[in-house]
Amino acid sequence: MTSEKGPSTGDPTLRRRIEPWEFDVFYDPRELRKEACLLYEIKWGMSRKIWRSSGKNTTNHVEVNFIKKFTSERHFHPSISCSITWFLSWSPCWECSQAIREFLSQHPGVTLVIYVARLFWHMDQQNRQGLRDLVNSGVTIQIMRASEYYHCWRNFVNYPPGDEAHWPQYPPLWMMLYALELHCIILSLPPCLKISRRWQNHLTFFSLHLQNCHYQTIPPHILLATGLIHPSVAWR
């Protein structure tokens, strides 16, 4: 059943929620919106309470804004553990990746999981290396799936009463393409996903360009999940 109560009814996170139209324009994986948005969760030690809030680009990227806010407002003993989960509309650039690694090195009790809707300038070698460095530093990076979109809709969006289940259900193909490219990045493979934009008619084109190294290195089930690769059949 869908609750007829929206998040505004007795919800202490209301003032930190974003509007449905904001969620749609920021997190639609088919769109290449320039600005970035961050939805985040913080959990301290063994506490069951989760602090949720959001942030957007200012003169700094959202990742840097979060780090500055977190370090200026929170002073905790290194022995206290802290779990942070980010839901980013764009993956971190190489400079933000470096800032995140420095932040984590100064706060060894912090663990970070990052879900991203899109990969930021994924053809840029510095950005690719930055993401690999994050993974090698213990950061978990994944592409947002339907479950993450629904989680964000329920916990970060000021959806209308009765619309808890009416979250934007984007085509899974785009998520799979980005997930495939993220595997290429982590495995130090050449890019396989190419994105082109025709500004005159606002169309975005996604194309897949697989090389032998992709077929040889990427697990078959990941390639098959895109639906663009079909298993070979041996005929007798």
Side-chain angles (χ1 to χ4, degrees):
M1 291 182 62
T2 301
S3 172
E4 289 302 319
K5 294 183 179 181
S8 59
T9 306
D11 193 326
T13 68
L14 175 62
R15 65 182 179 85
R16 300 189 296 272
R17 287 176 178 258
I18 63 175
E19 294 303 314
W21 68 267
E22 292 180 291
F23 182 72
D24 195 30
V25 298
F26 275 114
Y27 285 90
D28 187 340
R30 300 165 297 184
E31 299 296 331
L32 304 180
R33 184 179 177 87
K34 183 178 180 180
E35 299 84 3
C37 181
L38 167 62
L39 308 174
Y40 60 86
E41 299 178 335
I42 303 176
K43 183 174 178 292
W44 295 91
M46 301 300 292
S47 174
R48 295 184 178 181
K49 293 183 178 180
I50 299 176
W51 170 265
R52 294 187 175 97
S53 193
S54 62
K56 300 172 185 175
N57 279 0
T58 56
T59 53
N60 297 316
H61 285 184
V62 289
E63 301 92 330
V64 174
N65 286 338
F66 173 90
I67 292 172
K68 288 184 176 181
K69 180 180 177 65
F70 184 89
T71 54
S72 64
E73 294 181 352
R74 302 284 178 173
H75 301 281
F76 59 96
H77 195 273
S79 62
I80 299 178
S81 62
C82 176
S83 301
I84 301 175
T85 303
W86 284 359
F87 301 92
L88 277 164
S89 60
W90 285 106
S91 63
C93 68
W94 69 271
E95 291 177 298
C96 287
S97 295
Q98 184 177 354
I100 295 168
R101 291 175 60 214
E102 292 175 357
F103 163 70
L104 293 175
S105 68
Q106 296 168 5
H107 300 83
V110 173
T111 58
L112 177 62
V113 176
I114 302 176
Y115 293 97
V116 301
R118 297 178 294 264
L119 296 172
F120 179 75
W121 288 102
H122 68 280
M123 305 285 282
D124 184 280
Q125 290 302 319
Q126 286 183 298
N127 289 338
R128 297 175 77 84
Q129 185 61 53
L131 295 180
R132 281 194 294 270
D133 290 341
L134 283 179
V135 172
N136 292 333
S137 298
V139 178
T140 299
I141 305 177
Q142 295 183 14
I143 299 298
M144 290 179 65
R145 300 160 299 178
S147 57
E148 282 77 45
Y149 279 103
Y150 180 53
H151 176 83
C152 289
W153 178 262
R154 289 185 64 246
N155 294 288
F156 293 99
V157 179
N158 186 27
Y159 57 83
D163 279 2
E164 179 178 336
H166 298 164
W167 51 285
Q169 299 188 37
Y170 304 115
L173 175 60
W174 277 262
M175 306 173 202
M176 293 176 183
L177 290 174
Y178 277 123
L180 181 59
E181 183 59 38
L182 181 58
H183 271 87
C184 292
I185 292 173
I186 295 174
L187 295 173
S188 299
L189 295 173
C192 69
L193 177 64
K194 292 187 178 180
I195 304 174
S196 57
R197 178 81 165 172
R198 292 184 180 178
W199 296 104
Q200 62 272 23
N201 50 15
H202 304 288
L203 294 177
T204 304
F205 296 89
F206 293 72
S207 57
L208 200 58
H209 300 266
L210 294 170
Q211 304 176 34
N212 287 334
C213 59
H214 296 124
Y215 290 106
Q216 295 168 358
T217 309
I218 299 175
H221 72 275
I222 295 176
L223 291 173
L224 293 172
T226 64
L228 301 176
I229 309 298
H230 300 283
S232 57
V233 179
W235 297 92
R236 293 185 179 181

